[in-house]
């Protein structure tokens, strides 16, 4: 596959307002392939927007380089780079109509009037905004403004489209439908999308590849399934999806190895890790269920006390407390497990999981 | 719908300003409009006869003599408009880059620079203009320093010329252009400039296509605020223009204070007020509305 954009060993530091230095990008390398939908995911301040701005040309790197279509773009100003951006606040030109906004790039390139009309019409059709070309941005809803910003950014047919948290200002329903629309738009256009977000659900829904960033470093790169089921670090495990993390040391148990936490909790894990290794186990709500009367050997057991039972529509969540005080959630599809419905808050409960299902992160 | 209580508080709040404007603004205005249609007395004052030749005289026919057509007052008026428009142009050219620069400074420096720009208001206008007399006269600061540097060999004599009047007027009215410009440039969303660059516009194109159109309301406000006082100004032409550059303001001043022709002075004042009124209506309808739509 062809590489559309590549970042090599990028480093960027900013002076912190309270003195000292903030490292926004700490030796970042990544490669965006032809036709990919890649997401930069991380909490605020992790460097994801800085990385995006380094690619679009609004930020210079201290060291390392950005290559677009195989060529280094060091020193190339933003207006000469073959990438376009959808800005977080849309940044629509208030004095121009929808058509003026969408056709802005074509006007700069002095495209002929007939071609301009045609391409603006096509771009507006792609984002389902035909017939709105004479409106001013102020006369549009948030979702419509979002579509104008999208049409404006794709009309130049960039090699790479950068999207800086474009959905964060929309309400939940609109955001979810836009996620699917963006995904299919990306598929139809065949343009690479580099999407920045702090919302893990958004990242999982849309991406082919997710890059998890924290403190300017790449924690993990991979497809959404891999990040969810096999997080590489404690940070990724905690950031993506729900779940409870247990850190401790591996010891020998009666059959399989056991993870012993600092406060003495003993949790059996699947076969594999050698004794003495420090490790973190992540148990997600869907891994757990109520233990049968006579558990077989493949199950790990946790003793807990039920605290709360919460109806969530498609699922029901049971919040339980373990012996060491750690809170752990069990998620059951439907209106709830029959065995669990007889348990009242405050009652003891035995939770079971398949030993090899929860992912174990080994520390080197 | 306003409730009874709202109306009461509204009337209480507005009474002082209504009384003040009614007595000290609308009253004299009415007197002036009435006087402009009365016959001037031989030794000053007015004779209570309806007399429309005050306006005829402005247009060039003094006292109803059709043969004596001489549009001297129209000339003075047009010169005033020309000088006022030139002044709008000068202040705009000086203030726009300055406002762009100031808006890019850190918050603390911005406040400081805006303070510096309003600083001249703390000193009397007449004192400041006399300083310009000292600077611009042939033996003044400008001439002697340029000669001292060897740039010119003979003293330059620009005092009592149109140039001197323009320098003085631009100097007085700069803040009135700067402040509205600065306000609209500072409001400008920085991400619009990035969006423009992102779509392929070089800095020059971004200026023409985004910065300038987006700050048009500020330019218009500044232009109106500079044009109106420039048109009616009489202190600057008096002090820096000598007897050579007469503007409409000087003419009105003369009619009231020297010629004792109050009706003609009133007619001139009403005319210039009408012109400005039309300008403001135009401004509100064209630019004011587009700002509301945003």
């Amino acid at each position: 596959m062809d590489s559309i954009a590549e970042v090599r060993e990028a480093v960027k530091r900013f002076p912190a307002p309270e003195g000292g230095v903030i490292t926004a990008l700490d030796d970042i390398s990544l490669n965006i392939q032809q036709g990919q939908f890649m997401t930069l995911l991380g909490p605020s301040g992790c460097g994801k927007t800085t990385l995006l701005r380094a690619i679009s040309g609004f930020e210079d790197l201290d060291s390392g380089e950005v290559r677009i279509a195989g060529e280094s773009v060091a020193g190339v100003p933003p207006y000469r780079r073959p990438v376009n951006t959808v800005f977080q606040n849309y940044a629509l030109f208030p004095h121009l109509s929808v058509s003026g906004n969408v056709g802005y790039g074509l006007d700069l390139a002095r495209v002929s009037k007939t071609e301009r009309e045609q391409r603006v019409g096509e771009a507006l059709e792609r984002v389902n905004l035909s017939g709105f070309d004479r409106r001013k941005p102020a006369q549009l809803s948030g979702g419509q403004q979002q579509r104008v910003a999208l049409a404006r950014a794709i009309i130049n047919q960039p090699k790479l489209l950068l999207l800086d948290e474009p959905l964060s200002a929309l309400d939940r329903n609109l955001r979810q439908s836009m996620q699917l629309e963006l995904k299919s738009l990306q598929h139809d256009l065949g343009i690479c999308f580099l999407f920045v977000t702090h919302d893990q659900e958004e990242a999982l829904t849309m991406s082919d590849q997710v890059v998890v960033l924290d403190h300017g470093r790449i924690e993990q790169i991979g497809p959404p399934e891999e990040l969810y089921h096999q997080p590489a670090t404690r940070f990724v495990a905690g950031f993506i999806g729900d779940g409870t993390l247990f850190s401790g040391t591996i010891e020998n148990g009666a059959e399989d190895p056991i993870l012993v936490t600092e406060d003495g909790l003993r949790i059996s894990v699947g076969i594999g890790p050698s004794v003495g290794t420090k490790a973190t186990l992540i148990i997600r709500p869907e891994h757990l269920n109520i233990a049968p009367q006579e558990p077989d050997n493949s199950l790990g057991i946790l003793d807990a006390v039920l605290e709360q039972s919460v109806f969530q529509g498609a699922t029901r969540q049971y919040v339980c407390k373990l012996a060491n005080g750690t809170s752990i959630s069990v998620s059951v599809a439907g209106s709830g497990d029959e065995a669990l419905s007889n348990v009242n808050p405050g009652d003891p409960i035995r939770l079971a999981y398949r030993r090899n299902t929860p992912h174990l992160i080994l520390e080197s | 719908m306003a409730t009874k209580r709202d109306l009461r508080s509204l009337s209480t709040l507005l009474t002082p300003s209504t009384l003040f404007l009614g007595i000290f603004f609308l009253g004299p205005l009415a007197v002036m409009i009435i006087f402009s249609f009365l016959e001037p007395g031989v030794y000053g004052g007015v004779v209570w006869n309806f007399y429309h030749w005050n306006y005829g005289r402005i247009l060039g026919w003094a006292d109803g003599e059709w043969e004596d057509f001489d549009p001297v007052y129209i000339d003075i008026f047009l010169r005033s408009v020309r000088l006022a428009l030139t002044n709008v142009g000068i202040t705009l050219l000086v203030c726009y880059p300055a406002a762009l620069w100031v808006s890019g400074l850190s918050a603390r420096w911005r406040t400081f620079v805006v303070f510096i720009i309003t600083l001249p208001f703390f000193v009397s206008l007449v004192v400041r203009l006399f300083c310009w007399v000292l600077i611009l006269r042939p033996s003044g600061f400008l001439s002697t320093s340029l000669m001292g540097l060897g740039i010119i060999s003979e003293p330059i004599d620009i005092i009592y010329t149109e140039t001197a009047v323009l320098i003085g007027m631009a100097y007085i009215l700069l803040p009135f252009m700067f402040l509205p410009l600065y306000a609209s440039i500072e409001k400008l969303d920085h991400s619009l400039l990035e969006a423009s660059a992102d779509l392929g516009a070089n800095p020059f194109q971004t200026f023409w296509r985004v910065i300038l159109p987006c700050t048009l309301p500020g330019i218009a406000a500044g232009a109106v605020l500079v044009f109106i006082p420039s048109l009616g100004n009489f202190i600057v032409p008096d002090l820096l223009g000598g007897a050579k550059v007469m503007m409409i303001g000087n003419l009105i001043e003369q009619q009231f204070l020297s010629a004792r022709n109050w009706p003609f002075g009133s007619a001139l004042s009403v005319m210039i007020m009408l012109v400005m009124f039309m300008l403001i209506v135009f401004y509100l309808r064209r630019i004011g509305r587009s700002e509301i739509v945003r």
Side-chain angles (χ1 to χ4, degrees):
Chain A
M1 272 202 277
D2 290 344
S3 165
I4 287 297
E6 199 183 350
V7 178
R8 285 188 193 166
E9 291 154 12
V11 176
K12 177 72 183 176
R13 294 188 178 88
F14 292 109
E18 58 275 8
V21 177
I22 295 172
T23 306
L25 300 178
D26 191 357
D27 195 18
I28 299 276
S29 295
L30 57 86
N31 200 338
I32 306 165
Q33 307 285 342
Q34 173 74 47
Q36 242 177 8
F37 194 126
M38 189 180 255
T39 297
L40 301 177
L41 175 67
S44 61
C46 71
K48 56 193 192 295
T49 297
T50 307
L51 182 55
L52 201 72
R53 291 172 61 83
I55 296 171
S56 57
F58 293 111
E59 216 76 74
D60 291 325
L61 293 175
D62 293 338
S63 71
E65 66 171 358
V66 175
R67 302 176 78 87
I68 298 173
E71 281 179 43
S72 170
V73 291
V76 177
Y79 54 91
R80 294 220 187 92
R81 296 195 182 191
V83 296
N84 284 122
T85 308
V86 177
F87 290 84
Q88 187 170 9
N89 61 354
Y90 318 142
L92 298 179
F93 305 121
H95 60 293
L96 298 178
S97 64
V98 167
S99 161
N101 269 284
V102 175
Y104 191 84
L106 300 179
D107 292 340
L108 290 169
R110 297 188 198 285
V111 167
S112 77
K113 208 173 173 185
T114 45
E115 191 192 337
R116 178 197 190 278
E117 294 298 308
Q118 190 202 337
R119 280 172 67 180
V120 168
E122 278 172 12
L124 285 176
E125 206 170 313
R126 273 208 188 277
V127 297
N128 296 324
L129 266 187
S130 298
F132 284 83
D133 43 350
R134 295 216 168 159
R135 298 256 193 116
K136 285 279 177 77
Q139 297 166 303
L140 300 175
S141 71
Q144 290 167 336
Q145 293 185 12
Q146 163 73 74
R147 287 158 193 272
V148 175
L150 202 57
R152 183 177 72 175
I154 59 174
I155 202 165
N156 278 354
Q157 292 154 348
K159 291 193 161 51
L160 175 65
L161 186 70
L162 308 172
L163 302 104
D164 187 5
E165 307 212 20
L167 305 182
S168 58
L170 304 179
D171 65 57
R172 190 180 155 82
N173 284 336
L174 197 53
R175 204 161 62 215
Q176 286 179 336
S177 68
M178 277 306 286
Q179 286 172 10
L180 299 176
E181 251 180 79
L182 273 179
K183 179 78 186 150
S184 67
L185 182 71
Q186 189 263 341
H187 184 261
D188 294 346
L189 289 172
I191 298 177
C192 288
F193 278 31
L194 185 60
F195 188 97
V196 161
T197 184
H198 61 265
D199 181 342
Q200 43 112 353
E201 188 194 312
E202 219 163 81
L204 297 183
T205 308
M206 293 191 287
S207 324
D208 298 321
Q209 291 278 312
V210 180
V211 181
V212 183
L213 289 168
D214 187 40
H215 290 107
R217 284 174 176 278
I218 292 180
E219 293 279 325
Q220 189 172 1
I221 302 184
E225 295 82 357
E226 187 183 313
L227 296 188
Y228 188 80
H229 295 301
Q230 290 127 40
T233 66
R234 254 189 87 90
F235 177 81
V236 177
F239 196 73
I240 291 178
D242 297 324
T244 310
L245 301 179
F246 300 93
S247 290
T249 316
I250 301 293
E251 288 179 13
N252 266 325
E255 288 161 24
D256 280 344
I258 286 181
L259 180 81
V260 181
T261 66
E262 280 162 20
D263 42 16
L265 210 61
R266 299 168 72 84
I267 308 166
S268 55
V269 297
I271 331 151
S274 52
V275 172
T277 319
K278 286 199 177 297
T280 299
L281 185 73
I282 169 142
I283 302 184
R284 299 205 185 272
E286 68 270 22
H287 293 161
L288 289 166
N289 216 323
I290 192 156
Q293 292 293 333
E294 290 164 21
D296 61 58
N297 283 340
S298 67
L299 292 181
I301 301 292
L302 289 168
D303 284 308
V305 173
L306 182 66
E307 293 226 301
Q308 241 184 338
S309 148
V310 186
F311 176 65
Q312 290 182 318
T315 56
R316 186 173 268 278
Q317 192 179 17
Y318 298 91
V319 182
C320 305
K321 195 161 249 178
L322 297 177
N324 67 347
T326 308
S327 208
I328 191 163
S329 292
V330 184
S331 165
V332 181
S335 53
D337 192 303
E338 219 160 278
L340 272 166
S341 65
N342 297 328
V343 186
N344 294 315
D347 290 352
I349 187 171
R350 295 190 89 194
L351 302 173
Y353 57 90
R354 304 217 152 268
R355 273 204 195 115
N356 280 316
T357 313
H359 181 65
L360 194 66
I361 302 160
L362 300 176
E363 274 162 49
S364 48
Chain B
M1 271 283 299
T3 64
K4 212 169 186 180
R5 203 182 144 163
D6 285 339
L7 282 177
R8 197 162 3 136
S9 69
L10 199 68
S11 59
T12 315
L13 290 172
L14 289 183
T15 302
S17 59
T18 311
L19 278 179
F20 185 88
L21 286 177
I23 295 171
F24 297 106
F25 175 70
L26 289 178
L29 192 67
V31 170
M32 205 178 69
I33 292 172
I34 293 168
F35 269 33
S36 75
F37 288 103
L38 295 178
E39 197 177 325
V42 182
Y43 303 104
V46 292
V47 178
W48 285 83
N49 288 330
F50 176 76
Y51 187 72
H52 63 274
W53 286 110
N54 294 318
Y55 289 97
R57 195 176 162 191
I58 295 175
L59 297 175
W61 290 281
D63 306 318
E65 305 288 334
W66 291 101
E67 300 79 40
D68 300 347
F69 177 74
D70 182 10
V72 59
Y73 300 114
I74 295 286
D75 281 349
I76 292 175
F77 178 73
L78 288 179
R79 177 196 292 150
S80 304
V81 170
R82 179 169 54 80
L83 285 177
L85 285 178
T86 313
N87 192 29
V88 169
I90 294 171
T91 49
L92 182 62
L93 285 180
V94 171
C95 291
Y96 205 100
L100 269 182
W101 175 71
V102 173
S103 68
L105 295 174
S106 69
R108 190 189 300 175
W109 278 105
R110 262 182 291 174
T111 319
F112 178 71
V113 172
V114 172
F115 170 72
I116 292 281
I117 281 164
T118 51
L119 205 58
F121 288 122
F122 289 79
V123 181
S124 154
L125 175 67
V126 177
V127 172
R128 284 185 284 145
L129 281 176
F130 268 115
C131 292
W132 275 104
V133 174
L134 298 181
I135 293 170
L136 294 178
R137 65 182 181 183
S139 57
F141 174 75
L142 182 70
S143 227
T144 46
S145 48
L146 283 179
M147 285 204 333
L149 289 169
I151 295 167
I152 51 169
S153 54
E154 278 178 29
I156 43 168
D157 194 5
I158 60 168
I159 190 132
Y160 308 138
T161 62
E162 272 192 14
T163 314
V165 174
L166 281 174
I167 290 174
M169 285 213 296
Y171 161 74
I172 289 172
L173 295 168
L174 272 179
F176 294 93
M177 180 59 91
F178 179 86
L179 293 174
L181 273 184
Y182 171 69
S184 72
I185 291 176
E186 206 206 8
K187 257 197 325 202
L188 191 67
D189 185 355
H190 201 74
S191 66
L192 293 182
L193 313 185
E194 292 197 344
S196 175
D198 185 74
L199 291 163
N202 62 36
F204 186 74
Q205 288 168 319
T206 297
F207 177 78
W208 276 108
R209 287 171 180 269
V210 179
I211 301 180
L212 205 58
C214 284
T215 54
L216 211 54
I219 296 175
V224 169
L225 285 180
V226 169
F227 182 79
I228 291 177
S230 301
L231 191 63
N233 203 307
F234 63 93
I235 302 173
V236 179
D238 236 24
L239 292 178
L240 298 179
K244 292 182 198 161
V245 184
M246 186 187 256
M247 288 179 65
I248 193 89
N250 303 93
L251 185 62
I252 294 171
E253 182 214 3
Q254 277 178 13
Q255 293 306 316
F256 277 102
L257 301 180
S258 313
R260 293 183 197 155
N261 191 341
W262 289 11
F264 185 52
S266 300
L268 286 167
S269 307
V270 169
M271 186 195 67
I272 173 172
M273 248 172 43
L274 271 177
V275 170
M276 287 176 183
F277 181 74
M278 289 189 305
L279 246 161
I280 288 178
V281 168
F282 178 77
Y283 162 72
L284 286 179
R285 294 190 59 167
R286 289 297 297 276
I287 288 124
R289 198 169 44 190
S290 72
E291 193 163 26
I292 293 163
V293 169
R294 283 220 217 149

